[in-house]
Amino acid sequence: MESYSKNGKRLLFSLGCFASTSVLLSSFAVAAGGGADRSGDLLDLLYRFINFALLVIILFFVLRKVPIKEYFSSRIEGIKKELEELKKQREAAQRKAQELESKLKAFEGERKEILAQYKAEGLAEKERILAEARDRAKQILEQAEMSIQYEMQSAKEKLKQDVVALAARRAEEIIAREMTDKDQDRLVDEFIEKLGKTH
């Protein structure tokens, strides 16, 4: 504050020197004008000079009372704080972006893991279905084989019965054709004799 008052004193001294120099120069100018009545111009110049000096003095005192230095220093501090705040916000945004990126990578990994799991489950289900289909086909083939065996056995039995019946008919026909009355009498006697032995 002392340096500020020293500067003010210097400014006032400079203004005083300027004012006296101006007054002296204007009086020389009037004197050099050749004696014409120029006192109105000089008075006008003096008023202007006084107005200017008053303006400078008023500005000096007003600016001395207004803390310009403090205003600019507080403004600089405010800007610094804003810059720090913006820097913190930018760092927070970068951290948030990195966090989101890591979550996205984790999600991508989980997605791949889930897809792999579903794929493995799908393959296992496919294998299970194929195994069931193979077992069912095997059962059907076994049943068909059993049915075929049964049908073949039935067909053999029927064929055997048909052959026996046909053979019996043929034998009857042959016997009936070739048997004489003597053969019939002999067979009847043998039959009666066998019956007699059993009773």
Side-chain angles (χ1 to χ4, degrees):
M1 202 68 171
E2 285 180 22
S3 65
Y4 193 71
S5 62
K6 285 180 183 178
N7 287 338
K9 289 177 182 176
R10 285 183 193 155
L11 183 62
L12 282 175
F13 178 72
S14 299
L15 284 174
C17 289
F18 177 72
S20 8
T21 307
S22 298
V23 170
L24 282 173
L25 287 175
S26 59
S27 52
F28 286 138
V30 169
D37 189 16
R38 294 212 164 232
S39 60
D41 290 341
L42 186 60
L43 194 58
D44 184 50
L45 181 63
L46 183 62
Y47 287 143
R48 287 178 190 237
F49 176 74
I50 291 170
N51 280 339
F52 178 73
L54 285 174
L55 178 65
V56 169
I57 292 168
I58 290 169
L59 281 175
F60 170 74
F61 283 110
V62 168
L63 291 177
R64 196 171 93 178
K65 288 185 180 180
V66 175
I68 293 175
K69 191 175 185 181
E70 292 174 13
Y71 169 76
F72 284 117
S73 64
S74 66
R75 183 70 181 134
I76 289 169
E77 286 297 317
I79 291 171
K80 282 182 182 178
K81 284 180 183 177
E82 285 179 17
L83 286 173
E84 286 294 320
E85 187 65 29
L86 287 173
K87 188 177 178 182
K88 287 178 184 176
Q89 288 176 1
R90 189 186 72 183
E91 289 172 356
Q94 285 176 341
R95 279 195 303 273
K96 188 79 171 175
Q98 288 173 350
E99 191 176 308
L100 288 173
E101 191 175 338
S102 64
K103 282 183 181 178
L104 187 63
K105 284 180 182 176
F107 174 75
E108 186 65 25
E110 287 177 14
R111 185 184 71 86
K112 286 181 181 176
E113 191 175 310
I114 289 168
L115 285 175
Q117 182 180 353
Y118 279 135
K119 189 175 180 182
E121 287 176 3
L123 288 173
E125 185 67 16
K126 177 183 169 186
E127 287 299 319
R128 187 187 64 78
I129 291 170
L130 286 174
E132 283 181 4
R134 282 192 289 268
D135 289 345
R136 184 75 182 128
K138 187 177 177 184
Q139 288 175 357
I140 290 170
L141 287 173
E142 286 174 357
Q143 287 176 354
E145 185 70 28
M146 288 172 61
S147 296
I148 290 169
Q149 291 295 331
Y150 176 75
E151 290 295 326
M152 284 180 66
Q153 191 66 32
S154 296
K156 283 180 184 177
E157 291 295 324
K158 187 171 188 227
L159 186 62
K160 200 187 278 186
Q161 288 173 1
D162 289 345
V163 167
V164 168
L166 183 62
R169 270 200 313 268
R170 293 293 268 165
E172 281 179 14
E173 288 174 3
I174 291 171
I175 290 172
R177 203 174 44 221
E178 294 184 8
M179 189 178 272
T180 60
D181 289 337
K182 281 186 187 178
D183 292 330
Q184 285 181 0
D185 290 339
R186 185 177 50 82
L187 285 173
V188 168
D189 290 339
E190 284 178 5
F191 181 71
I192 292 173
E193 191 177 320
K194 282 183 185 177
L195 279 177
K197 287 181 182 177
T198 55
H199 289 293

